[in-house]
Amino acid sequence: MGSRASTLLRDEELEEIKKETGFSHSQITRLYSRFTSLDKGENGTLSREDFQRIPELAINPLGDRIINAFFPEGEDQVNFRGFMRTLAHFRPIEDNEKSKDVNGPEPLNSRSNKLHFAFRLYDLDKDDKISRDELLQGKAQLLPVEDRGGRLGQCKVLRMMVGVNISDEQLGSIADRTIQEADQDGDSAISFTEFVKVLEKVDVEQKMSIRFLH
Amino acid sequence: MFLLLPFDNLIVSLLGISLTVLFTLLLVFIIVPAIFGVSFGIRKLYMKTLLKIFAWATLRMERGAKENHHQLYKPYTNGIIAKDPTSLEEEIKEIRRSGSSKALDNTPEFELSDIFYFCRKGMETIMDDEVTKRFSAEELESWNLLSRTNYNFHYISLRLTVLWGLGVLIRYCFLLPLRIALAFTGISLLVVGTTMVGYLPNGRFKEFLSKHVHLMCYRICVRALTAIITYHDRKNRPRDGGICVANHTSPIDVIILASDGYYAMVGQVHGGLMGVIQRAMVKACPHVWFERSEVKDRHLVARRLTEHVQDKSKLPILIFPEGTCINNTSVMMFKKGSFEIGATVYPVAIKYDPQFGDAFYNSSKYGMMTYLLRMMTSWAIVCSVWYLPPMTRQAEEDAVQFANRVKSAIARQGGLVDLLWDGGLKREKVKDTFKEEQQKLYSKMIVGNHEDRSRS
């Protein structure tokens, strides 16, 4: 009869995802429905184009970086497990979880993992350090130099967030100041530990969590 | 073998009698009322019975689900995640405030935590966005015995399956042939009628006949779809020289509105059957048909429409400013073309009840013929039409603001979500200008202070 989303997800798979991500039965079913509605090719995986088809994501200045977070190294397709694993980072931290067993693996939505997700958005070359180059374009980039407004070709993170509205010099000084304030071991880059230290007071649990209505 | 011969005759005569009876019933109960615009109330009774059956079916499924210790999949049209309506500025300030212990008398330039805002917003849209869900059929909360809307099929008991099978039989073997016969009658009467009226000399008699031929044929088509329509505020119906705008869900919208009023249609010239109908209609009444090439030329379109409305004796134009079919849960951006012409706008809100049959035309998924087949094998098309009071463009408004004002009025009346997004996003990519707006907003936040200082 009907070939709707909730009928195609096997119970065993649902249980595995539940264990891995901590989402509830109905939440997983709903997100599976969402996954299939995004999957225009109907082949059980999402490509980057499928994400870019969401208008509100396409206008997000960091849209491409966020989409990238779903795809493991070198791959162009993400299946439902991978989709859920990435979304799990944004599950709110429940009180009873804080006292869970220390022996098990760290849940995907722990404070540390949420911070790690944000860190990875900055860390373009995945070397576990945020360097000046990654915040804005480095001098070695050779692109045709247009006027001060035109250098959008280089998708460095800070540049992505501000577009053409800030000059290179100003942006450069912003990046330098940020790194200076966070850097503690003097390597002119921000490591994950330094990143965590800078953000230790920020309410990460709330700001990097998405609450379900049901 | 010989015993079958008298039975053959019997079968043939039985067939003949039943066909005659059917045809008479058709004529008396459906076509004649359509011609005179009256109703026996059969459709309303049908609707009430169906509702009772649907409620029972959902109850059975819930019971079946409970027995398996599962929960029924219930769709939520209001979204599945909680979204804060705070702006970019407020959110980022809040994040910074929570992270900083020093007093903030002037906003700092940039914080590493700013990324949290964009990150979370992006993830929210991946889980549930406002736009893409408008381009697929709305999900129902209770099952209506159509396999196409069933999401919980493993909870169906034997009794429910039998009921469903009965439903299929009724819909495909009884309702469908009836509807096809009616549609055929309606369309051929329209083509023949308007062509004949076209031979008459221009004058009041021709107009009178043309109006009634159009109305009669549209009413037959309404019955061909078993459309049960409730009209509200008919005193606000569009008058001559005005423009009627409505939200667009399907080509059926035209039939629904035109069966209650006499409009001049606007549209592209099609080939095939549609083209035949269009050519016939324009003989009796001055509809505005555009060639495919002319549609791209916005000035030409605007000019022809303006010419039409300026002649006060001309019929009101029927336009759907969204430009494409939306799934009737929201109203998307109205294209400003029709609002620049300067005529009185008569807004109309159309809201379908998807319980009896979803009227949304998903043109990327189904062709026209498949769509019509789905329509004719649904239980019914139930909708409400509200005629809103006329609106005109105020002095200080421009066309876009006027269009948005009309759109809000329609959305409010129909209980639909008012969106600023363009319906064209169904097929096209969003423009970069929106992203640039976001970037500008954020840039102001992190260097706004510096600019002020450098200017002074």
Side-chain angles (χ1 to χ4, degrees):
Chain A
M1 287 189 209
S3 58
R4 283 286 312 191
S6 60
T7 60
L8 294 178
L9 186 63
R10 295 187 329 277
D11 272 340
E12 314 93 62
E13 214 183 322
L14 214 152
E15 287 301 317
E16 282 173 34
I17 295 177
K18 193 170 178 177
K19 226 181 290 178
E20 191 181 355
T21 61
F23 282 117
S24 74
H25 193 218
S26 69
Q27 288 168 348
I28 298 176
T29 318
R30 225 164 282 293
L31 287 172
Y32 187 68
S33 181
R34 174 69 173 163
F35 180 83
T36 39
S37 71
L38 290 174
D39 179 15
K40 292 285 187 253
E42 290 183 5
N43 53 2
T45 59
L46 294 179
S47 66
R48 286 194 169 82
E49 287 76 39
D50 288 323
F51 283 100
Q52 276 153 359
R53 228 176 270 121
I54 305 172
E56 286 166 292
L57 185 63
I59 67 167
N60 189 317
L62 291 178
D64 285 332
R65 292 297 301 153
I66 296 171
I67 294 173
N68 216 45
F70 282 88
F71 294 88
E73 188 65 49
E75 286 183 30
D76 288 329
Q77 302 285 330
V78 57
N79 61 10
F80 185 57
R81 291 292 286 271
F83 182 72
M84 289 305 282
R85 216 172 286 132
T86 316
L87 288 182
H89 287 95
F90 289 82
R91 197 167 66 82
I93 300 178
E94 281 134 43
D95 287 323
N96 57 0
E97 279 185 62
K98 289 197 183 132
S99 49
K100 251 209 177 109
D101 62 317
V102 199
N103 301 328
E106 200 181 354
L108 286 166
N109 67 334
S110 68
R111 185 193 160 89
S112 170
N113 275 327
K114 286 184 199 280
L115 282 169
H116 214 127
F117 189 86
F119 185 78
R120 280 199 294 266
L121 285 182
Y122 279 116
D123 184 14
L124 288 167
D125 58 6
K126 300 192 211 252
D127 63 353
D128 287 332
K129 279 209 229 290
I130 303 176
S131 59
R132 187 183 195 271
D133 278 356
E134 283 160 344
L135 285 177
L136 60 121
Q137 76 253 24
K139 297 202 179 83
Q141 292 289 334
L142 293 169
L143 274 185
V145 178
E146 301 168 64
D147 62 291
R148 69 193 278 279
R151 287 191 251 192
L152 254 191
Q154 296 127 359
C155 298
K156 301 298 182 160
V157 184
L158 254 187
R159 180 53 74 190
M160 285 168 101
M161 286 158 96
V162 304
V164 296
N165 300 294
I166 300 181
S167 69
D168 295 331
E169 299 79 38
Q170 230 172 358
L171 212 59
S173 62
I174 290 176
D176 287 330
R177 185 191 66 86
T178 313
I179 295 183
Q180 221 173 19
E181 280 184 6
D183 189 20
Q184 287 172 339
D185 58 7
D187 60 353
S188 303
I190 308 176
S191 70
F192 183 56
T193 342
E194 289 160 356
F195 186 72
V196 172
K197 186 91 186 22
V198 172
L199 299 174
E200 64 185 346
K201 292 215 184 64
V202 175
D203 186 5
V204 176
E205 286 87 350
Q206 214 237 339
K207 293 304 170 187
M208 288 278 277
S209 292
I210 298 176
R211 202 170 43 88
F212 269 80
L213 286 174
H214 309 277
Chain B
M1 275 276 274
F2 298 103
L3 286 169
L4 287 171
L5 280 173
F7 282 119
D8 261 2
N9 282 337
L10 196 63
I11 291 174
V12 169
S13 45
L14 268 178
L15 216 65
I17 294 175
S18 52
L19 274 174
T20 325
V21 167
L22 196 70
F23 192 66
T24 327
L25 280 176
L26 211 81
L27 203 68
V28 170
F29 283 107
I30 300 179
I31 297 189
V32 168
I35 297 177
F36 293 104
V38 296
S39 172
F40 279 123
I42 301 176
R43 283 175 287 161
K44 290 255 153 73
L45 186 66
Y46 171 63
M47 201 169 99
K48 282 204 191 84
T49 325
L50 278 178
L51 275 173
K52 289 208 186 88
I53 299 177
F54 295 161
W56 180 84
T58 314
L59 238 74
R60 292 295 304 207
M61 293 217 312
E62 278 175 2
R63 218 192 304 166
K66 247 185 236 151
E67 281 162 19
N68 290 6
H69 304 289
H70 276 160
Q71 263 187 324
L72 262 192
Y73 174 82
K74 277 201 182 249
Y76 294 110
T77 39
N78 288 334
I80 58 177
I81 51 179
K83 289 191 190 169
D84 288 319
T86 44
S87 70
L88 183 147
E89 252 192 82
E90 284 167 34
E91 275 273 341
I92 294 190
K93 280 206 183 119
E94 231 187 277
I95 300 176
R96 289 181 182 173
R97 224 173 291 141
S98 74
S100 179
S101 47
K102 44 188 188 279
L104 296 172
D105 41 357
N106 53 343
T107 334
E109 291 178 341
F110 165 74
E111 292 288 331
L112 284 170
S113 58
D114 288 351
I115 206 174
F116 291 169
Y117 169 77
F118 293 109
C119 193
R120 196 183 87 202
K121 268 280 174 310
M123 280 302 178
E124 278 177 359
T125 64
I126 291 177
M127 284 190 187
D128 188 16
D129 78 301
E130 283 299 314
V131 184
T132 54
K133 65 183 181 193
R134 311 292 172 190
F135 300 135
S136 58
E138 190 183 350
E139 297 185 341
L140 295 175
E141 300 230 355
S142 61
W143 191 36
N144 61 352
L145 293 181
L146 295 176
S147 63
R148 57 189 86 142
T149 54
N150 193 344
Y151 327 118
N152 295 296
F153 81 81
H154 28 244
Y155 303 129
I156 295 184
S157 60
L158 181 66
R159 242 186 268 182
L160 218 50
T161 318
V162 166
L163 193 65
W164 172 79
L166 203 67
V168 169
L169 208 69
I170 295 177
R171 282 183 294 121
Y172 280 83
C173 302
F174 174 60
L175 290 177
L176 183 64
L178 187 68
R179 287 171 180 165
I180 293 183
L182 280 172
F184 188 69
T185 318
I187 294 178
S188 26
L189 272 178
L190 183 66
V191 172
V192 167
T194 47
T195 317
M196 285 191 349
V197 170
Y199 287 127
L200 293 175
N202 284 352
R204 284 202 31 207
F205 186 57
K206 177 178 184 181
E207 268 195 51
F208 175 77
L209 265 189
S210 169
K211 174 172 183 181
H212 285 275
V213 164
H214 273 96
L215 281 175
M216 175 183 85
C217 298
Y218 280 119
R219 287 198 197 117
I220 297 180
C221 287
V222 160
R223 281 160 172 78
L225 293 164
T226 319
I228 304 169
I229 311 168
T230 320
Y231 295 101
H232 302 267
D233 300 326
R234 290 179 84 235
K235 60 182 188 300
N236 290 326
R237 272 190 311 167
R239 310 236 170 89
D240 286 353
I243 299 183
C244 173
V245 301
N247 56 314
H248 202 26
T249 307
S250 117
I252 295 177
D253 293 340
V254 174
I255 300 178
I256 288 177
L257 288 178
S259 63
D260 190 47
Y262 188 33
Y263 299 96
M265 311 273 167
V266 175
Q268 221 179 36
V269 171
H270 286 90
L273 182 62
M274 275 301 302
V276 171
I277 300 176
Q278 282 177 324
R279 278 193 295 274
M281 278 167 67
V282 82
K283 287 191 185 123
C285 158
H287 298 296
V288 184
W289 302 128
F290 291 101
E291 297 293 331
R292 204 165 280 257
S293 49
E294 289 175 331
V295 172
K296 301 270 192 263
D297 185 351
R298 273 191 54 225
H299 296 291
L300 181 72
V301 171
R303 193 160 40 87
R304 276 186 70 179
L305 289 178
T306 321
E307 277 169 14
H308 185 106
V309 296
Q310 269 165 1
D311 184 351
K312 285 291 171 199
S313 67
K314 287 258 174 74
L315 304 168
I317 304 181
L318 182 58
I319 286 189
F320 298 100
E322 278 167 314
T324 186
C325 295
I326 311 294
N327 78 344
N328 209 233
T329 54
S330 67
V331 186
M332 297 186 108
M333 187 183 92
F334 275 4
K335 300 207 182 336
K336 61 179 178 171
S338 356
F339 299 90
E340 288 174 321
I341 298 176
T344 320
V345 169
Y346 295 89
V348 176
I350 308 176
K351 178 81 180 104
Y352 289 89
D353 186 347
Q355 184 80 346
F356 296 91
D358 196 308
F360 170 55
Y361 177 37
N362 194 343
S363 48
S364 34
K365 214 169 170 195
Y366 305 112
M368 179 60 94
M369 280 295 131
T370 324
Y371 171 70
L372 283 176
L373 190 69
R374 282 168 71 93
M375 285 300 101
M376 293 201 184
T377 54
S378 306
W379 294 111
I381 309 286
V382 178
C383 66
S384 292
V385 175
W386 285 273
Y387 291 103
L388 295 163
M391 292 175 155
T392 41
R393 178 145 74 102
Q394 307 292 326
E396 51 310 325
E397 273 182 330
D398 65 357
V400 175
Q401 288 165 330
F402 181 39
N404 284 336
R405 189 160 62 92
V406 173
K407 176 162 64 78
S408 301
I410 293 180
R412 217 175 313 130
Q413 180 66 71
L416 306 164
V417 176
D418 187 3
L419 293 178
L420 291 171
W421 295 95
D422 185 356
L425 290 170
K426 198 194 222 174
R427 295 202 174 81
E428 292 156 11
K429 282 210 152 109
V430 67
K431 293 205 194 83
D432 281 333
T433 42
F434 294 103
K435 189 195 264 196
E436 284 157 22
E437 264 173 48
Q438 291 264 303
Q439 288 170 328
K440 207 186 249 177
L441 217 67
Y442 179 63
S443 307
K444 259 202 213 114
M445 266 207 88
I446 68 176
V447 286
N449 300 332
H450 282 228
E451 265 179 12
D452 295 330
R453 261 182 252 146
S454 60
R455 273 205 207 107
S456 63

